[in-house]
Amino acid sequence: MKGFASLAALCALANPAFAHTIFQELYVNGVDQGHLTGIRVPDYDGPITDVTSNDVICNGGINPYHQPISQAIINVPAGSPVTAEFHHTLAGADPSDSADPVDPSHKGPVMAYLAKVNNATDMTVTGLQWFKIWEDGMDSSQVWGVDRMIANKGKVTFSIPNCIEAGQYLLRVEMIALHGASSYPGAQLYMECAQLQITGGGSTKPATVSFPGAYSGTDPGIKINIYQKLPSYTIPGQSRSADPTSRSTNGSSSGPSVFSCNGPSAPAPSTSAPSPPSIPVTPVSTPVSTPTGAAGTVAHYGQCGGLT
Ligand SMILES: *[C@@H]1O[C@H](CO)[C@@H](O)[C@H](O)[C@H]1NC(C)=O
Ligand SMILES: *[C@@H]1O[C@H](CO)[C@@H](O)[C@H](O)[C@H]1NC(C)=O
Ligand SMILES: [Cu+2]
């Protein structure tokens, strides 16, 4: 183990392009669910570069899964914040490793998708329908989602939508490194899938995309030279409107949620104009423990029938 770690460190020094990463731990409402628990992790931390390969679904193809594959299914109340944690190797956090959680040469977006499944431990993942619930791209200072993930010691936090149906899901958390992406194949895709049981929720069925299929080698977010001043970056996959055909939207791409329970892909509310935050929302028998603050939160609960 020690020898392996030193070798990995040497490789990282010699060629940062070989210093990769693995999503390997999940926290629900801040509670650690256990190292490698409920996540299909490969032993090797290398990327997938062929966006048409089935390996882009949940990895595990050219990077075979660590055995035994965890049979745990992580319980997540809909609406909960979850934190995905990446590290350079399956050994986990290593403050002495300058390439942990990933080598800083690796610039690009971080994203999270969900797919509803009958059985979260079923290893067949082809044909699933995915919806993006979170993305962190590039801000106007050309600071990337991966830069923020590194600054946060490998952790990214987002919420499970509170209006989606209860049931078992795969949570696909993905980081794309663009340091070699000026030609295709070149972008490095790193993804793993966590096995979830989502409880509560509602009845909203988000618009979905397929993997492979959601990305193409000519996408502006996949084939891109990042060694220049970029006015914007188009994150691949579903756009904010959850409409795969309208992904050419410009502007800041570091916002929180792509599929939003009160967004365009949710059932149309009876009132068309969004209420300004300062106007009190009509009470909709929300639980006493409903978080306060964001007006959008109230709208989520109202729209989802208060089942959370
Ligand atoms: C879920 O899939 C796993 C792996 O194929 C299998 O062992 C298990 O029996 C399945 N569970 C149910 C409830 O079908
Ligand atoms: C995106 O913004 C850039 C620079 O501001 C501009 O050149 C480009 O035309 C915009 N693209 C779209 C689709 O609006
Ligand atoms: Cu790498």
Side-chain angles (χ1 to χ4, degrees):
M1 200 49 137
K2 195 156 194 285
F4 176 76
S6 325
L7 182 62
L10 278 175
C11 292
L13 287 174
N15 190 343
F18 290 124
H20 314 304
T21 195
I22 302 172
F23 156 47
Q24 56 190 255
E25 197 151 334
L26 192 74
Y27 302 70
V28 179
N29 275 309
V31 179
D32 188 355
Q33 302 297 302
H35 188 226
L36 313 186
T37 302
I39 307 175
R40 304 167 181 195
V41 292
D43 278 306
Y44 181 60
D45 59 0
I48 308 301
T49 58
D50 178 357
V51 300
T52 68
S53 158
N54 283 338
D55 293 352
V56 300
I57 309 171
C58 287
N59 212 319
I62 60 171
N63 303 319
Y65 289 128
H66 179 73
Q67 299 292 331
I69 299 167
S70 176
Q71 295 299 298
I73 299 178
I74 299 169
N75 195 63
V76 185
S80 301
V82 297
T83 300
E85 183 172 5
F86 287 84
H87 285 295
H88 182 190
T89 73
L90 282 192
D94 182 356
S96 71
D97 176 3
S98 65
D100 179 59
V102 70
D103 189 89
S105 64
H106 288 46
K107 310 284 188 196
V110 189
M111 291 166 273
Y113 294 83
L114 285 171
K116 195 162 193 304
V117 295
N118 291 324
N119 179 347
T121 58
D122 190 335
M123 295 310 290
T124 302
V125 292
T126 49
L128 298 179
Q129 293 298 306
W130 299 88
F131 54 99
K132 191 192 276 181
I133 58 169
W134 176 79
E135 63 185 8
D136 187 5
M138 187 199 82
D139 69 19
S140 55
S141 308
Q142 210 158 329
V143 176
W144 295 87
V146 174
D147 296 322
R148 284 180 277 274
M149 181 267 268
I150 293 171
N152 209 21
K153 299 185 180 347
K155 292 180 178 174
V156 295
T157 298
F158 48 88
S159 286
I160 300 298
N162 60 12
C163 61
I164 59 173
E165 296 175 290
Q168 298 198 354
Y169 285 81
L170 293 179
L171 168 66
R172 178 181 180 278
V173 186
E174 176 180 39
M175 185 204 110
I176 302 183
L178 299 167
H179 53 291
S182 52
S183 61
Y184 176 83
Q188 300 186 345
L189 282 60
Y190 300 93
M191 80 299 297
E192 279 74 31
C193 292
Q195 303 163 172
L196 305 188
Q197 172 79 52
I198 295 180
T199 59
S203 57
T204 301
K205 298 178 193 297
T208 58
V209 292
S210 299
F211 282 106
Y215 306 161
S216 113
T218 55
D219 282 352
I222 295 289
K223 182 176 177 296
I224 180 174
N225 172 12
I226 61 167
Y227 303 103
Q228 58 179 318
K229 175 140 178 51
L230 296 172
S232 65
Y233 170 73
T234 304
I235 304 174
Q238 287 170 303
S239 73
R240 271 171 197 297
S241 65
D243 173 1
T245 62
S246 70
R247 64 168 79 148
S248 57
T249 47
N250 250 344
S252 88
S253 49
S254 59
S257 177
V258 171
F259 168 70
S260 161
C261 287
N262 57 356
S265 62
S270 47
T271 54
S272 50
S275 318
S278 57
I279 294 181
V281 176
T282 311
V284 285
S285 69
T286 44
V288 182
S289 61
T290 298
T292 53
T297 306
V298 177
H300 288 185
Y301 281 86
Q303 198 161 51
C304 295
L307 290 177
T308 46

